Amino acid sequence: MAYSDKVVDHYNNPRNVGTLDKSAQEVGTGLVGAPECGDVMRLQIRVNPETQVIEEAKFKTFGCGSAIASSSLATEWIKGRTVEDALAIKNTDIVKELSLPPVKIHCSVLAEDAIRAAIGDWKKKNGVAETADTAVAAQ
Amino acid sequence: MLNVLDSAVPVECWSCSVAHNESTLFCPHCSKIQPPPGGNYYSVFNLQPALNIDLAALETAFHRLSRKLHPDRFARATASEKEWSLADTALLNDAYRTLRDPLRRTEYLLKLHGAEIGEEHSGKDRRPHEMGASRAPADLLEEVFELNMQLEEMRAARSSGEDDPALARNLSEAKAKFEGLQAEVDHDLREQWTAWDNGGDAEKQAAQKAMVALLDRRRYLSNLVREVNETMGA
Ligand code: FES
Ligand SMILES: [Zn+2]
């Protein structure tokens, strides 16, 4: 299957690959998997406690090109947003931006899942009330 | 999508006009080849759709049908018959490969019964948290992720010409452990097979749910074991 140019770009030059200190108070970590294929993705955020703005985002994905591109794009998109804003990102936005074909939709779902899980973890750590959205993802 | 299970609609043989079961590759009456039939992979081999199957019977039927479909036998056949023999061969091979493999057979039969499996349970409209039901337990994900990190480290070390014996030992231990987990999943699956094959609707439903979850888990494990093998050159 041919990948779109944007997928290839993110795949060849993934943005924000890396690790944040999992134990740090201001860091939220989301580790998620796609049962469809067995791929795994970790996405981490560092949130400014005052402004609730995501100042740093890192990911590490062991999976297909679309999953790598989706998570790379996700980190780009959430950086500079508040956590509540970041929760507005939907996997369909990623599908559109990367022109993913139907069989690759689950790869974008993985990225949305990862954002929610990371934010959920951060909220739990910092005693911020869970919204319905993150409560499920962070379980 | 194949969903014809028990509805063996009789089809008329193009040659002798006698009606026959839709899934036979050859007319039971005049033995002439038939166009690729509808129906499902099981009926190609005249097997009952079940998860526990007689593998020896499957293999025998496969070899018998392969011989009957051999191109040499169609050297003097009509153009349509030649064409059908190729299409039937393709179908026969797909059917055999699917039914022979325990995991693929399970996925196939559950899909015939309407289960959403693999790629299919991630439709466009599905919200991520609705996938929670089949999400792997966190500790499995942690381990899979951790091991992938180690594999990456190992590959990096290799490509710069070093070898880290401690890491290699760690990885082969992990591999053994994950193979053990795979074996456990396979064992659990087999138990569910029997429950599914022999159970009524309620048992079937429960077994199906359990199997979908087991197959999901199995995918993480297979992925990882494959990665380890590739990296370690086993
Ligand atoms: S194929 Fe599994 S995440 Fe893309
Ligand atoms: Zn006939």
Side-chain angles (χ1 to χ4, degrees), chain A residues 27-30 43-45 47 54 78 81-89 112-126 128-131 134-135 137-138:
Chain A
V27 169
T29 299
L43 191 146
Q44 296 181 296
I45 51 173
V47 181
I54 298 172
I78 59 178
R81 293 203 194 198
T82 63
V83 286
E84 287 316 314
D85 266 2
L87 284 173
I89 294 169
E112 180 184 333
D113 246 1
I115 297 175
R116 277 167 206 286
I119 293 176
D121 180 53
W122 174 82
K123 284 189 168 175
K124 205 147 98 199
K125 258 188 190 170
N126 291 274
V128 180
E130 297 268 4
T131 55
T134 56

Side-chain angles (χ1 to χ4, degrees), chain B residues 150-213:
Chain B
Q150 290 182 18
L151 283 170
E152 196 173 77
E153 220 180 289
M154 178 99 176
R155 280 190 289 261
R158 284 260 172 87
S159 65
S160 63
E162 304 157 35
D163 232 331
D164 185 337
L167 190 55
R169 211 173 319 115
N170 205 345
L171 280 172
S172 41
E173 272 169 27
K175 184 189 158 201
K177 180 184 162 193
F178 278 83
E179 281 171 345
L181 289 175
Q182 271 188 342
E184 261 171 49
V185 170
D186 293 351
H187 171 87
D188 292 353
L189 261 182
R190 271 165 223 274
E191 269 178 14
Q192 298 296 335
W193 282 359
T194 307
W196 195 92
D197 282 348
N198 303 334
D201 278 353
E203 286 95 341
K204 265 196 168 40
Q205 201 101 68
Q208 174 157 324
K209 215 172 146 211
M211 283 190 278
V212 169

Side-chain angles (χ1 to χ4, degrees), chain B residues 12-20 26-34:
Chain B
E12 234 173 58
C13 171
W14 62 274
S15 178
C16 71
S17 300
V18 173
H20 63 80
F26 295 89
C27 173
H29 188 70
C30 71
S31 305
K32 287 272 190 197
I33 188 165
Q34 305 294 304

